Amino acid sequence: MSTLSACGSLQSSATEVGGERMTDNRPVRDGGTLTVALNADPDKLDPTLAQTLVGRTVFAGMCEKLYDVNEQGKVVPQLATHEPEVSKDGRTVTFDVRKDARFSDGTRLNADAVVTSLLRHRDLAGSARATELGPLKSAKATGPYSVKLTLKQPYVPLTAVLADRSGMVMSPTALKKYGKNFTNHPSCVGPYRFVERVGGDRIVVAKDPNYYDAKDVHLDKVIYKPIPDGSVRLANLRSGDVQIGDQMVPVDVKSALTDNKLRLFNSPSLGYQGIGINVGNVKGLGQAPGKVDTVMAKDVRVREAFELAIDRDLINKVAFQGMYEPACGPMSPASAIAPGVKASQCPKRDVPKAKRLLKAAGVKGAVHVELKIPTTPEWSRIGQVIQAMVKDAGFALTLRPTEYATMLEETDNGQYQAFQSGWSGRLDPDGNIASFLQTKGAMNAYGLGNPEIDELIKRGRTESDPAERDKIYAELIRKVNAEHTLIYLYRQKNYVVTGKDVAGLHVYGDGLVRVKDAGYVK
Amino acid sequence: MAKYVLTRIRQSVITMFLVSIVVFAGIRALPGDPALALAGEERSPKALAAIRSSYGLDDNIVVQYGRFIGHALQGDLGNSSRTGLPVSDAIAQALPVTLELAALSLLLAIVLGVGAGVVAAVRRGKTAEWIANALALLGLSVPTFWLGIVLVLAFAIAVPVFAASGFVPFGTDPIDNLRRMVLPAIVLGSGLAAVVMRQTRAAMLDSLSADYVRTARAKGLSRREVVGGHALRNSLVTVVTVLGLQLGHLISGAVVTEQIFVLPGFGKLTIDAVFTRDYATLQGVVLCTSFAYIFINLLVDVAYSVIDPRIRLGGAR
């Protein structure tokens, strides 16, 4: 990943948008309040129960993790003092934690707190971390600051998992005091401590004097403000009411290019967006795949023809002004662990071949397909573009815009032919593949059941040699793409727009806005 | 009298009970599983089952209703399934925002609408009437969202007199409060002002050609006394009736305005709750609104019966 440190302000040429700016190291002064506009209101401020990406951005300000992600997308220690030591059989993991860290309630961080938090993440009813910490058999404090984890089987993605919410350590005192209500009194180790939350309006955090690196925290306060509409977020940035706009969409970034008071930060994302095709989901998630009676489900050649009729570059140009990246696999090329296929290597549109495949499959007349899409302007455009493209190959595509919660219910239950399927992305490849593509995957809404894919997923999870793991995932992508069940289309980029007087911000591939070092320029 | 009031209270309680059932069942009839909406991206059958269990979503609907009504009767509207915050707190925080927005919009609509309506009627056939009519047409036709963005671009960015978003309570900082509320009030009030203008104009035209106005003129009263003291006073009866009818629209129209100006009001709370299938918040919001309507109706009926004894006869006989 390259960082174009020479990137100027937004008003400079549009070609700069293609580069990446993830940090800004201009010196900053102490004091001040920063308002960050988020694209949604976060859910619960409890690391165990939280589900939203936008919530992770708020946590980045107040809940440090055992490990973090750096600019290169690599895992680095945060509350842990070193990389985890893994036993030869891969079933025991040990690490130490900082001795100088205190939670925002003033109590000390130690190994017991880590054990309490990890077991809560694994066991609490409704925990969103239960699946990723499923392989954790036990956790023990082997010293005041030393932790030993025992696993049911070797689990290579664990370090990456501990670099996300599963690695957030909560104050056992606060957990005991507030119980279920911890979400309204979150207490972790972090540069800022929770002050108040007004639902739908703001989350306020203030500099935490207990933080081990408090002398390097410059801002007095950070206010997170949900502003769902992109153009309203941009208007607030322009008026100076907010200083940071998170998750800006290309059309707004483009229109901001004329404003010399604003700066653009961007980084490639680890997620993907695509189209899922129902090939065997007849009974719902978690059930054995069955027979779906559609031409697309029955013949892989028809699915391949559908994919070959789509021009990924054109979708990127028409719907996103060329500011996202075409994608043809579950892993981002920007991932430091087992990078995926580059956008330039994605298969090109080939209508004659698509027609030949349909002919070989014995298809007569147009293939009727219904595609469920979200009710967003972007997907309306994408849907129409795809509709026109696949028509050339012989598909009659109907679009069915469906509200998000309804679409989730219908697609999870198998009531669909094709739908928009996306994922915000995880650092470790396993987090972008296993739940979706293995036969018993918790989110295999496609009904895919391929024993070879299952076996490769299993090997990828347990193989500790990075070079060997790379090979496994390369093979896995080939197998997955040959199924044409999940047609990857594009990868978003994380666009963050800030006021020009704000520096010290970090925006990495995990899509989080890090404000620990942020402040107003001197 | 007491018997009539008691009857009306009893009817109101029954209505509230029926409303609570309709609200409860109606929300659950919405497509989209709340557990899925809550779980978002990271859903698995195990996690979904845990969510359903922790919010009692896997219970029989009658059991769920019993639990809900039992808590509601004790003043507990539950906690938001999405944020975990108490629903009563969310409502208490959102209500003043929407009420202030509605009050300011109403004030604006009355001042602008009545003023323009009077001018249009008095200056009939002149340029002033043409301008007032054109403005009313604009007020009715311009989409709220577009007007909001244009006002922000003009008065919060190009000429930064007002703020683009957010809410500060009037008690905390009155100036900052008005800086943030004027633009939303203009956006919300413009449509109503147009309606009020048209209504005032029509009523004024009627009044100005009425006999009592001719008599007032014949008596040698000044133009100001004739227009203000006689014609306008009589025209206002119709205008006030229209304003009353439009109040509901004002509250529902606040939904879009609150989204544009990021005001944490009732409309925004409702929309967020619908999209996340936040049953507790949605039930709380709808119940509070219904309660307010029923309570106001009750008060009005009782007031009528005090003013005009003939009204209570129907109920008391």
Side-chain angles (χ1 to χ4, degrees):
Chain A
M1 282 191 276
S2 65
T3 304
L4 300 185
S5 54
C7 280
S9 63
L10 269 172
Q11 87 277 20
S12 21
S13 75
T15 51
E16 283 188 0
V17 172
E20 281 148 22
R21 184 216 295 273
M22 293 188 273
T23 57
D24 178 345
N25 295 322
R26 286 177 296 161
V28 297
R29 60 184 154 83
D30 285 339
T33 298
L34 198 67
T35 304
V36 184
L38 306 171
N39 69 338
D41 193 21
D43 57 339
K44 294 188 181 71
L45 296 179
D46 179 329
T48 307
L49 303 172
Q51 314 265 8
T52 53
L53 173 67
V54 76
R56 289 163 71 194
T57 294
V58 178
F59 283 129
M62 62 178 193
C63 277
E64 290 200 340
K65 304 158 288 188
L66 291 167
Y67 295 94
D68 195 15
V69 179
N70 69 7
E71 204 172 335
Q72 285 76 39
K74 287 186 177 153
V75 176
V76 289
Q78 193 170 49
L79 291 177
T81 54
H82 56 84
E83 306 245 322
E85 285 161 15
V86 185
S87 66
K88 271 193 176 173
D89 68 354
R91 287 168 193 262
T92 309
V93 177
T94 52
F95 56 86
D96 294 334
V97 292
R98 304 183 69 104
K99 293 175 182 169
D100 56 352
R102 282 178 188 274
F103 295 106
S104 61
D105 62 3
T107 56
R108 277 197 175 282
L109 170 88
N110 56 24
D112 284 333
V114 175
V115 170
T116 304
S117 296
L118 286 175
L119 295 181
R120 182 179 188 265
H121 287 319
R122 189 193 63 179
D123 300 332
L124 189 76
S127 167
R129 316 279 86 84
T131 307
E132 57 195 26
L133 285 179
L136 179 67
K137 192 175 168 190
S138 67
K140 275 182 187 155
T142 52
Y145 299 98
S146 303
V147 180
K148 181 181 164 189
L149 308 180
T150 309
L151 304 173
K152 291 173 193 163
Q153 73 256 351
Y155 184 45
V156 181
L158 181 68
T159 320
V161 162
L162 296 179
D164 200 342
R165 285 158 295 191
S166 283
M168 287 179 190
V169 187
M170 299 158 282
S171 157
T173 312
L175 284 175
K176 204 172 171 184
K177 186 174 172 187
Y178 297 112
K180 267 191 170 179
N181 209 18
F182 180 82
T183 181
N184 299 321
H185 307 272
S187 177
C188 304
V189 177
Y192 303 96
R193 64 184 163 75
F194 176 79
V195 175
E196 66 161 346
R197 175 175 196 176
V198 178
D201 183 36
R202 63 183 182 273
I203 293 167
V204 182
V205 296
K207 182 176 175 175
D208 185 1
N210 293 309
Y211 183 56
Y212 59 86
D213 197 17
K215 64 175 176 25
D216 287 330
V217 177
H218 307 288
L219 293 164
D220 294 329
K221 220 186 257 184
V222 179
I223 299 171
Y224 296 95
K225 207 165 179 48
I227 305 182
D229 189 89
S231 52
V232 178
R233 269 204 307 288
L234 183 60
N236 277 270
L237 276 160
R238 283 182 157 158
S239 72
D241 282 86
V242 305
Q243 290 76 45
I244 298 177
D246 187 24
Q247 300 292 327
M248 303 299 287
V249 291
V251 65
D252 294 324
V253 173
K254 280 271 182 184
S255 78
L257 287 170
T258 51
D259 197 327
N260 60 9
K261 286 185 294 188
L262 302 176
R263 285 163 72 93
L264 177 68
F265 286 72
N266 59 345
S267 66
S269 89
L270 298 170
Y272 61 78
Q273 297 292 320
I275 293 175
I277 295 165
N278 190 357
V279 292
N281 182 359
V282 283
K283 292 177 188 163
L285 284 187
Q287 306 298 318
K291 277 198 174 174
V292 173
D293 192 25
T294 64
V295 188
M296 292 273 271
K298 285 193 281 196
D299 198 322
V300 71
R301 289 171 294 187
V302 179
R303 301 200 292 274
E304 187 180 354
F306 187 84
E307 183 165 356
L308 279 169
I310 295 173
D311 186 336
R312 293 175 169 87
D313 282 316
L314 193 63
I315 289 175
N316 188 30
K317 277 181 196 146
V318 172
F320 307 113
Q321 280 116 51
M323 289 171 69
Y324 286 164
E325 282 177 345
C328 45
M331 281 126 56
S332 164
S335 166
I337 314 165
V341 186
K342 285 182 188 161
S344 57
Q345 295 170 320
C346 286
K348 300 291 171 209
R349 185 179 193 229
D350 190 342
V351 176
K353 190 179 175 189
K355 283 181 175 171
R356 284 200 299 276
L357 281 165
L358 286 182
K359 202 175 171 186
V363 172
K364 289 191 177 85
V367 180
H368 291 269
V369 185
E370 185 185 89
L371 173 66
K372 282 187 202 290
I373 54 170
T375 52
T376 60
E378 286 87 9
W379 265 95
S380 174
R381 281 198 293 271
I382 296 168
Q384 286 167 32
V385 172
I386 293 176
Q387 197 174 39
M389 288 189 294
V390 298
K391 191 182 175 194
D392 294 346
F395 290 90
L397 186 72
T398 317
L399 301 174
R400 182 173 289 274
T402 312
E403 185 267 328
Y404 180 67
T406 310
M407 186 163 85
L408 278 183
E409 185 178 23
E410 290 176 354
T411 52
D412 280 4
N413 290 334
Q415 297 158 353
Y416 76 100
Q417 290 183 1
F419 79 111
Q420 176 272 333
S421 180
W423 179 240
S424 65
R426 294 292 177 269
L427 199 58
D428 193 276
D430 184 74
N432 302 322
I433 296 171
S435 295
F436 303 94
L437 301 171
Q438 66 181 338
T439 308
K440 289 185 179 171
M443 288 180 275
N444 178 5
Y446 326 99
L448 182 65
N450 183 329
E452 286 178 322
I453 290 176
D454 292 348
E455 180 56 28
L456 285 165
I457 288 173
K458 203 171 152 190
R459 280 177 54 203
R461 279 187 158 185
T462 49
E463 178 56 61
S464 55
D465 177 17
E468 194 57 35
R469 213 168 173 234
D470 257 3
K471 281 186 204 163
I472 293 169
Y473 282 115
E475 176 64 11
L476 188 53
I477 290 176
R478 274 194 292 276
K479 295 266 185 216
V480 166
N481 284 347
E483 287 280 357
H484 304 282
T485 303
L486 182 41
I487 300 170
Y488 302 94
L489 291 179
Y490 67 94
R491 233 174 275 289
Q492 291 162 315
K493 289 188 100 177
N494 304 309
Y495 285 112
V496 175
V497 174
T498 76
K500 213 170 184 180
D501 55 346
V502 177
L505 199 70
H506 300 285
V507 178
Y508 300 156
D510 57 6
L512 309 186
V513 176
R514 290 167 167 81
V515 289
K516 187 211 148 195
D517 302 320
Y520 290 94
V521 287
K522 277 184 177 168
Chain B
M1 173 72 185
K3 198 174 172 188
Y4 171 77
V5 173
L6 279 175
T7 308
R8 286 295 291 114
I9 289 175
R10 196 168 60 238
Q11 285 170 348
S12 298
V13 170
I14 293 169
T15 311
M16 275 300 292
F17 174 66
L18 293 176
V19 164
S20 75
I21 293 177
V22 171
V23 168
F24 192 85
I27 291 170
R28 272 150 187 82
L30 285 175
D33 183 348
L36 273 170
L38 273 176
E41 248 194 352
E42 296 162 69
R43 60 202 191 278
S44 65
K46 198 181 159 190
L48 292 175
I51 289 172
R52 287 196 186 98
S53 164
S54 74
Y55 290 103
L57 296 169
D58 46 2
D59 288 334
N60 181 305
I61 192 162
V62 180
V63 175
Q64 288 188 47
Y65 177 75
R67 191 168 46 227
F68 156 68
I69 206 75
H71 288 154
L73 285 173
Q74 295 167 49
D76 176 12
L77 292 172
N79 286 19
S80 157
S81 54
R82 192 171 55 86
T83 62
L85 299 169
V87 172
S88 46
D89 285 4
I91 289 173
Q93 283 161 351
L95 202 55
V97 182
T98 303
L99 288 181
E100 186 186 338
L101 178 61
L104 283 175
S105 307
L106 197 63
L107 184 71
L108 195 89
I110 292 170
V111 173
L112 288 182
V114 172
V118 170
V119 170
V122 173
R123 314 282 297 167
R124 193 175 183 192
K126 308 268 171 60
T127 316
E129 191 201 11
W130 185 85
I131 292 173
N133 277 336
L135 284 175
L137 191 66
L138 261 181
L140 286 172
S141 335
V142 168
T144 312
F145 199 87
W146 183 85
L147 179 64
I149 293 286
V150 167
L151 288 180
V152 166
L153 288 174
F155 298 108
I157 296 172
V159 186
V161 183
F162 300 109
S165 72
F167 178 77
V168 171
F170 191 80
T172 310
D173 186 343
I175 303 290
D176 202 20
N177 171 275
L178 290 176
R179 260 189 76 230
R180 290 167 193 279
M181 294 301 278
V182 167
L183 294 184
I186 292 173
V187 169
L188 186 57
S190 59
L192 184 57
V195 174
V196 171
M197 178 267 161
R198 288 187 159 190
Q199 204 63 44
T200 310
R201 177 179 163 275
M204 280 292 286
L205 287 176
D206 277 350
S207 302
L208 286 172
S209 59
D211 290 343
Y212 66 87
V213 169
R214 265 201 298 275
T215 310
R217 279 190 183 129
K219 278 161 66 183
L221 292 181
S222 69
R223 185 186 168 95
R224 193 175 171 177
E225 282 169 321
V226 171
V227 172
H230 288 72
L232 181 60
R233 182 173 280 188
N234 283 295
S235 304
L236 282 182
V237 178
T238 332
V239 174
V240 168
T241 312
V242 170
L243 277 174
L245 291 172
Q246 292 287 326
L247 259 178
H249 292 291
L250 211 54
I251 303 288
S252 55
V255 172
V256 177
T257 311
E258 285 173 9
Q259 295 286 338
I260 305 167
F261 292 95
V262 202
L263 293 173
F266 231 56
K268 197 165 180 298
L269 188 68
T270 313
I271 290 287
D272 289 350
V274 169
F275 280 119
T276 54
R277 301 295 186 275
D278 189 346
Y279 284 175
T281 303
L282 208 48
Q283 279 162 192
V285 168
V286 182
L287 264 191
C288 277
T289 315
S290 317
F291 182 74
Y293 270 94
I294 292 169
F295 184 67
I296 290 167
N297 270 330
L298 176 69
L299 282 185
V300 170
D301 284 355
V302 172
Y304 271 149
S305 74
V306 172
I307 296 163
D308 185 350
R310 284 173 300 174
I311 289 171
R312 68 171 178 264
L313 292 180
R317 223 170 235 175

